[in-house]
């Protein structure tokens, strides 16, 4: 839609390793490639698709192998290294902006929490979770900033406090807002097709009309 609207913008889509095994993903990828969508696909390879390990999710050894089959360039990067991720995304963005079409980046790391709050992650070896604690991307980046004297402890604490406060205010504002109307969910999805209302069933269908 950015291209249709003549906007000089690119899209960045994040999805899980598990999501890349769904049919819709493959159709979407082909469509994006054929349309040369100005888009970066970022697959978060955190080694688990909910409770399914990567070994039972795919036969490829790297999720980057899925890109070339659709004509999409792909590269893998250490997802715990903030600067490496920044560099890969910056290069991909330059390529996409110069008309190179859709690009894929695989971030390799580990999901240290459950799939969602309801998931206690009891199918993962606790020793593995503990081992990955040492590779927390934010902790590693913080250490790098201090080690290279790119920032002082005081500056980092000030940034953390400011960010925490910004998030707290934003969260409170969001919680205080009224729920949107259901019909708003599809507003702006289509440009020239009137949105059918209601877009979901509000009552059970009449079986005599089936
Ligand atoms: C279309 C669809 N199919 C199946 C599911 C069921 N499902 C919920 S979570 C999940 C795995 C998601 O794995 P991943 O994308 O790697 O996310 P992560 O576990 O890393 O959060 C699946 C298959 C779903 N939510 N939607």
């Amino acid at each position: 839609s950015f291209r249709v609207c003549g906007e000089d913008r690119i899209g960045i889509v994040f999805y899980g390793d598990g999501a890349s095994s769904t049919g819709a993903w493959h159709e979407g990828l082909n469509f994006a490639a054929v349309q040369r969508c100005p888009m970066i696909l970022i697959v978060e390879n955190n080694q688990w698709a909910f409770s399914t390990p990567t070994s039972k999710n795919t036969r490829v050894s790297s999720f980057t192998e899925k890109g070339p089959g659709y004509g999409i360039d792909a590269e893998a990067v250490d997802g715990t290294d903030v600067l490496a991720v920044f560099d890969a995304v910056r290069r991909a963005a330059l390529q996409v902006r110069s008309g190179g079409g859709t690009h894929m980046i695989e971030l390799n790391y580990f999901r240290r929490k459950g799939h969602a709050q309801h998931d206690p992650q009891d199918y993962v070896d606790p020793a593995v979770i503990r081992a990955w604690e040492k590779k927390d991307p934010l902790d590693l980046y913080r250490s790098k900033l201090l080690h290279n004297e790119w920032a002082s402890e005081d500056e980092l604490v000030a940034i953390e406090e400011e960010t925490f406060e910004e998030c707290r205010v934003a969260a409170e504002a969001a919680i205080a807002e009224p729920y949107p109307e259901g019909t708003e969910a599809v507003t702006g999805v289509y440009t020239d097709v009137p949105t059918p209302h209601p877009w979901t069933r509000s009552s059970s269908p009449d079986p005599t009309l089936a």
Side-chain angles (χ1 to χ4, degrees), residues 15-20 22 24 44-52 57 111 113-116 118-119 123:
Y15 55 91
D17 41 86
S20 78
T22 61
E44 300 185 40
N45 179 8
N46 59 21
Q47 305 181 33
W48 287 92
F50 202 150
S51 55
T52 306
N57 171 15
R111 199 190 66 202
K113 296 277 183 190
H115 169 74
H118 57 72
D119 174 16
Y123 44 83

Side-chain angles (χ1 to χ4, degrees), residues 145-165:
L145 289 173
L146 293 172
H147 178 77
N148 289 298
E149 296 184 358
W150 291 335
S152 69
E153 178 68 31
D154 286 350
E155 282 172 318
L156 293 184
V157 169
I159 291 170
E160 279 159 4
E161 285 176 357
E162 195 182 313
T163 309
F164 184 85
E165 182 58 13

Side-chain angles (χ1 to χ4, degrees), residues 8-178:
D8 181 26
R9 298 166 73 189
I10 65 173
I12 302 189
V13 181
F14 291 79
Y15 55 91
D17 41 86
S20 78
S21 292
T22 61
W25 181 87
H26 288 272
E27 291 176 25
L29 213 66
N30 189 55
F31 184 80
V34 168
Q35 294 290 328
R36 302 192 68 69
C37 290
M39 183 164 78
I40 302 174
L41 303 160
I42 298 195
V43 50
E44 300 185 40
N45 179 8
N46 59 21
Q47 305 181 33
W48 287 92
F50 202 150
S51 55
T52 306
T54 301
S55 59
K56 290 189 177 168
N57 171 15
T58 182
R59 281 290 296 160
V60 296
S61 52
S62 164
F63 287 87
T64 54
E65 291 175 34
K66 297 191 179 192
Y70 292 97
I72 288 177
D73 289 341
E75 80 169 290
V77 62
D78 176 359
T80 67
D81 185 339
V82 170
L83 294 181
V85 173
F86 178 81
D87 185 55
V89 175
R90 191 181 56 83
R91 280 185 285 104
L94 284 173
Q95 189 176 323
V96 172
R97 283 189 196 285
S98 60
T102 307
H103 193 92
M104 181 191 292
I105 296 173
E106 173 185 13
L107 304 182
N108 286 301
Y109 45 52
F110 179 77
R111 199 190 66 202
R112 285 173 46 215
K113 296 277 183 190
H115 169 74
Q117 279 183 333
H118 57 72
D119 174 16
Q121 210 182 13
D122 46 13
Y123 44 83
V124 182
D125 180 353
V128 175
I129 299 176
R130 275 198 302 279
W132 275 90
E133 267 174 34
K134 298 187 187 70
K135 293 189 252 183
D136 183 293
L138 293 182
D139 291 346
L140 292 177
Y141 184 50
R142 198 177 202 288
S143 302
K144 195 174 267 184
L145 289 173
L146 293 172
H147 178 77
N148 289 298
E149 296 184 358
W150 291 335
S152 69
E153 178 68 31
D154 286 350
E155 282 172 318
L156 293 184
V157 169
I159 291 170
E160 279 159 4
E161 285 176 357
E162 195 182 313
T163 309
F164 184 85
E165 182 58 13
E166 203 177 306
C167 292
R168 192 190 61 75
V169 170
E172 279 182 10
I175 291 167
E177 272 188 20

